[in-house]
Amino acid sequence: MSLITIAGRERLSHTAPIGPPPSPFLGRHLRPLAVPIALLAIWELLAHAGVADPRFLPPLEEVVARGVAEFSRGGLAFNLLASLERDLIGFVCGSVAGIALGLAIGFSRLLERLLGPVLLVHRQIALFAWVPLISMWFGGGEAGKVVFIALAAFQPALINTWQGVSGIPRSYRELAEVLTFGWFDFARIIAIPGALPQIFTGLHSALIYAWTATVGAELLLNIAPGIGGRMNEGQHLFHMDLLLLCILLLGGVGVVFNVIAGSLEHRLLRWRIP
Amino acid sequence: MTGPVAISEQGRGQSHALEIADVSKRFSVAGRRVQALSHIRLAVDDGEFVSIVGASGCGKSTLLRLVLGLDTDYDGDIRVDGHRVERPGLDRSIVFQEHRLLPWLNVEANVAAALRQSGLGAAERGELVRDHLHLVGLDQFAKAYPAQLSGGMAQRVAIARALVTKPRFLLLDEPLGALDALTRLRLQDELQRIVRHEGTTAVLVTHDVDEAVYLGDRIVIMHPHPGRIATILPVTDAVSRDRSDPNFIRLRDEVLSWLGVSRTGIDADAELARRSA
């Protein structure tokens, strides 16, 4: 009897998961949140069980209280906006330059031969290795920070645009020849739309890299208004709640960026969905 | 080397729309010279429908590339109205085996893309696109994207794109080869109707013997290694366009025997040797 049920259950497991089908809401919207919520719960548990020193790991509600206080006074909101502004300027400069150069290299065999190897070496250099050089050349102030962020965004935008354009299939290039397209029509009708999915992938990465670089620049270069500045403050004044709050905030902004980029991508590349 | 003036003078005497004069083409594959085409001579008149059949590797698609002007590195001459083909032009359109529609453009925009270099105004272009979508029976799908179409529909869009420029020559490179048998038969009828309606001169490359006989006014049979014309068979009026007609079947069998395939499956080599002799 039991053998039969086991066999029956086994057969079922090949076709469908056992148990009631997950409700669409729970399935689609809550599942990605399960792990973060669990982590917060463990944090809370550790803080209250006396396992962790509350000076190093304050409970969640203290961090939340700190957040409420900071935002109601406007201090953290001001710093967040300062970081976002810096991030945005760097991201736009870097990704525009990256896309422009990527298109140029993708179109020109000569430029590809000249610049390709250099750029591939440049890619091997860790982003943060540029920090000392940038601070010497551009200073540790606002200019240096923005250059560093732009450099972070430049890399993925460039590489993806370049590879997107040079990956246009031969058959489409031949089609352009048959339709007697000039350079401009080839770029506008075939190359740029064809490379667009990869350009978006590049921009998406650039957005995340730029945000990482923003915090990096604020932590490593001169202190200025921004989330990184507050984190420095938290470290020096031993305000663990502030530090943790800033980290949560950084993650939150990253998630928001991801969602915005994903939905823009989905909307602009509708032709890919049959 | 005769100059362009001399060629056009010479061309005026002959009234062929398309003339392939003693064309040979060699490729270099992995350091080895391969003769793809050897001394091809073929003249196509206005309004004619010429089918080219042959086994794969006989150079029939290469020949179309040369006529298109995608490759000008060959011996001999390809002339349109006596002028040597130097580059692709809107007077010669092609339908490839794969539809090659641009997936990011909808049906309408894909067809309109062929008119980019036509110099026509927007209104005129729009009308041409509408007319040709109607011609291939896809008026309802103007806004659809290629990913939403079946293989047969996508190929019809490709045919509309090839014809929208009102080309003098329609080159068809196994255009129905990737479709299922039923769709293929249906599109053969449609292709015949459309080409007649437009009055276009057509050159069809295929390895489907029935298709070649059904659509062609003449059938060019090519042999491989090197690619060369074995013979050219006229499709007389006596052969009605009925795939079951005895005359149709007789002609089809003749083409098959030229290609080394006998009806009974035996004596094929002997037949081929006799034909080639």
Side-chain angles (χ1 to χ4, degrees):
Chain A
M1 184 64 192
S2 64
L3 261 176
I4 293 168
T5 37
I6 287 167
R9 203 175 272 176
E10 226 160 18
R11 194 157 5 105
L12 251 178
S13 70
H14 286 295
T15 53
I18 297 167
S23 79
F25 181 77
L26 195 80
R28 213 180 299 156
H29 299 286
L30 284 187
R31 208 177 291 166
L33 294 178
V35 172
I37 288 172
L39 285 177
L40 290 179
I42 291 172
W43 170 2
E44 191 66 355
L45 216 67
L46 286 175
H48 283 288
V51 183
D53 186 335
R55 285 176 301 169
F56 288 100
L57 189 69
L60 194 52
E61 60 268 18
E62 241 171 74
V63 176
V64 172
R66 177 84 189 203
V68 171
E70 284 281 351
F71 274 101
S72 60
R73 269 191 282 126
L76 204 56
F78 167 74
N79 284 296
L80 181 60
L81 283 177
S83 283
L84 284 175
E85 189 190 339
R86 196 171 287 136
D87 174 46
L88 200 68
I89 295 170
F91 166 72
V92 169
C93 295
S95 53
V96 165
I99 289 175
L101 192 58
L103 287 176
I105 297 175
F107 281 129
S108 155
R109 198 60 55 82
L110 179 71
L111 273 181
E112 181 160 19
R113 284 217 192 105
L114 284 175
L115 295 178
V118 179
L119 289 166
L120 289 176
V121 171
H122 174 236
R123 197 182 175 185
Q124 301 303 317
I125 301 166
L127 185 61
F128 283 89
W130 295 99
V131 168
L133 201 64
I134 285 174
S135 69
M136 298 301 277
W137 283 353
F138 299 94
E142 206 51 36
K145 291 193 185 73
V146 169
V147 168
F148 181 65
I149 298 163
L151 193 66
F154 175 75
Q155 209 28 275
L158 166 74
I159 300 285
N160 280 286
T161 306
W162 169 19
Q163 286 179 354
V165 173
S166 60
I168 300 284
R170 244 197 87 70
S171 61
Y172 288 160
R173 293 178 187 271
E174 210 174 75
L175 178 70
E177 267 188 82
V178 170
L179 299 180
T180 68
F181 279 4
W183 186 89
F184 179 75
D185 277 345
F186 174 66
R188 208 181 70 94
I189 295 179
I190 295 182
I192 293 176
L196 212 53
Q198 225 179 326
I199 294 177
F200 274 128
T201 305
L203 282 178
H204 200 144
S205 305
L207 200 60
I208 303 303
Y209 279 37
W211 185 234
T212 311
T214 302
V215 184
E218 289 171 355
L219 285 174
L220 295 171
L221 297 172
N222 295 356
I223 292 192
I227 298 291
R230 295 309 305 275
M231 290 179 83
N232 266 330
E233 179 196 322
Q235 189 193 355
H236 291 307
L237 301 179
F238 214 75
H239 288 161
M240 290 307 285
D241 51 351
L242 178 61
L243 255 179
L244 287 164
L245 177 66
C246 287
I247 287 172
L248 289 180
L249 214 54
L250 291 177
V253 171
V255 168
V256 170
F257 278 166
N258 249 331
V259 169
I260 293 173
S263 77
L264 272 180
E265 212 170 317
H266 185 80
R267 194 165 302 177
L268 289 168
L269 298 179
R270 235 173 316 175
W271 54 265
R272 285 201 296 190
I273 302 131
Chain B
M1 191 63 203
T2 35
V5 178
I7 289 173
S8 67
E9 288 300 323
Q10 186 191 346
R12 204 168 291 164
Q14 306 152 339
S15 58
H16 299 302
L18 171 68
E19 200 185 356
I20 299 167
D22 206 26
V23 165
S24 297
K25 168 74 187 169
R26 259 171 301 199
F27 283 116
S28 180
V29 180
R32 262 180 352 115
R33 303 287 271 168
V34 177
Q35 184 88 29
L37 293 170
S38 169
H39 302 288
I40 304 291
R41 289 187 198 89
L42 177 66
V44 180
D45 289 322
D46 258 327
E48 223 187 341
F49 198 125
V50 174
S51 302
I52 302 178
V53 272
S56 42
C58 72
K60 50 197 198 301
S61 293
T62 305
L63 188 60
L64 280 197
R65 285 180 58 84
L66 300 187
V67 173
L68 271 174
L70 285 174
D71 188 346
T72 51
D73 177 28
Y74 58 86
D75 297 323
D77 254 331
I78 294 176
R79 292 188 285 261
V80 170
D81 291 331
H83 296 283
R84 188 182 154 100
V85 167
E86 302 280 5
R87 63 185 70 84
L90 293 182
D91 59 329
R92 283 153 286 136
S93 280
I94 183 156
V95 179
F96 298 102
Q97 182 171 358
E98 353 74 67
H99 55 70
R100 287 202 202 176
L101 299 179
L102 300 170
W104 46 86
L105 298 181
N106 64 22
V107 164
E108 199 174 54
N110 261 291
V111 176
L115 292 171
R116 291 288 306 176
Q117 299 293 318
S118 65
L120 299 172
E124 221 168 332
R125 287 189 215 180
E127 197 177 327
L128 276 171
V129 170
R130 265 193 304 282
D131 286 352
H132 284 84
L133 284 182
H134 180 71
L135 189 67
V136 297
L138 289 175
D139 326 53
Q140 304 299 313
F141 292 88
K143 302 291 180 200
Y145 282 91
Q148 298 169 306
L149 304 178
S150 68
M153 285 158 84
Q155 205 53 299
R156 280 196 243 178
V157 178
I159 293 169
R161 178 177 66 189
L163 288 171
V164 76
T165 49
K166 304 229 172 236
R168 195 130 173 238
F169 301 99
L170 178 63
L171 308 175
L172 302 151
D173 189 0
E174 302 189 24
L176 312 179
L179 304 176
D180 65 273
L182 222 64
T183 311
R184 189 155 63 217
L185 288 179
R186 225 173 271 146
L187 270 186
Q188 282 170 7
D189 281 331
E190 213 159 316
L191 204 54
Q192 194 175 52
R193 172 182 67 81
I194 290 167
V195 170
R196 267 197 206 139
H197 175 272
E198 298 276 294
T200 315
T201 308
V203 178
L204 166 75
V205 156
T206 182
H207 52 232
D208 181 334
V209 174
D210 274 53
E211 190 171 288
V213 176
Y214 189 67
L215 292 171
D217 296 323
R218 278 192 294 157
I219 301 168
V220 176
I221 295 158
M222 289 185 70
H223 282 167
H225 315 300
R228 61 198 188 277
I229 293 179
T231 193
I232 300 176
L233 299 174
V235 183
T236 54
D237 290 339
V239 177
S240 69
R241 300 295 157 119
D242 173 355
R243 293 184 184 91
S244 314
D245 186 274
N247 287 317
F248 183 96
I249 294 169
R250 203 168 300 135
L251 183 56
R252 187 193 64 191
D253 289 345
E254 195 184 346
V255 174
L256 281 172
S257 74
W258 271 100
L259 293 171
V261 185
S262 82
R263 249 191 315 170
T264 51
I266 49 169
D267 298 335
D269 290 336
E271 179 74 13
L272 193 61
R274 192 179 67 78
R275 295 279 192 192
S276 304

